[in-house]
Amino acid sequence: MKRSPSDIRLEKLLRSSKLVAGGFMGDDPRTPEEVIREDAACLERLGKTAAQIAERMRKLTEAASAALGNSVQLEGKFEVRCEEWKGGLICPWPHPGRFPKRLTVCRRLDTGREIVWSDLNIHLIEAHGFFEGKGASYRLEPEDLVQVLFE
Ligand SMILES: [Zn+2]
């Protein structure tokens, strides 16, 4: 499939450190379109949608954020806490608006498995089906998300 100039522009931005240190692609040799397509296929195998995952992440972030930096236990299953910084992150696609610089650390009480995400991760998954490239600091594996958030 022929790539549009905007696809190529987007890839350049995603690989740069202009918006986040290290960029969104890590050392992934695939194009962003390929990353998105392959993660979508993985999600389909796992029987979840990006929207379901983003919704779950947002709920946990909101509950943790209300605890103002303290850890909270949720649903008898998770220990979650938020770390917040001043400033915001913007969507590379681009989208208007800024996302709070906030990290959510979510640990399963039974397995000890932990996943960390930013508010921008939630948006990138929900609006773009983008989990970031392999090797990016905030790459999230769809399989890890499904196992930690749903199983
Ligand atoms: Zn966006």
Side-chain angles (χ1 to χ4, degrees):
M1 201 164 64
K2 194 166 158 24
R3 304 184 73 207
S4 72
S6 71
D7 286 342
I8 292 163
R9 248 193 331 269
L10 174 65
E11 176 167 5
K12 216 172 145 191
L13 180 61
L14 289 173
R15 289 194 187 281
S16 78
S17 285
K18 222 172 139 187
L19 297 181
V20 293
F24 293 94
M25 289 297 291
D27 49 13
D28 203 315
R30 298 172 297 171
T31 65
E33 302 96 279
E34 287 167 335
V35 171
I36 289 168
R37 209 164 40 236
E38 285 171 31
D39 284 337
C42 177
L43 281 180
E44 210 175 311
R45 281 194 302 275
L46 296 166
K48 293 283 175 224
T49 65
Q52 287 171 314
I53 290 175
E55 192 195 332
R56 198 94 177 90
M57 292 163 82
R58 179 172 294 118
K59 264 205 176 121
L60 292 170
T61 290
E62 280 169 5
S65 183
L68 304 169
N70 296 307
S71 293
V72 277
Q73 293 198 358
L74 299 168
E75 302 172 23
K77 209 165 161 182
F78 304 105
E79 184 178 83
V80 188
R81 93 188 126 80
C82 277
E83 295 173 19
E84 304 194 39
W85 292 268
K86 281 203 170 78
L89 296 169
I90 58 170
C91 173
W93 252 259
H95 266 117
R98 291 166 86 81
F99 300 88
K101 260 193 187 166
R102 174 165 66 183
L103 286 181
T104 303
V105 182
C106 174
R107 195 171 63 86
R108 274 289 285 259
L109 295 169
D110 52 352
T111 60
R113 287 184 71 184
E114 192 174 278
I115 296 191
V116 179
W117 63 79
S118 69
D119 283 47
L120 183 57
N121 279 126
I122 300 176
H123 169 77
L124 292 174
I125 290 171
E126 186 170 47
H128 308 289
F130 183 54
F131 294 75
E132 306 199 9
K134 302 255 185 204
S137 308
Y138 290 99
R139 159 79 186 171
L140 292 166
E141 292 297 335
E143 198 167 3
D144 292 342
L145 285 167
V146 169
Q147 285 169 356
V148 170
L149 299 179
F150 292 95
E151 286 177 6

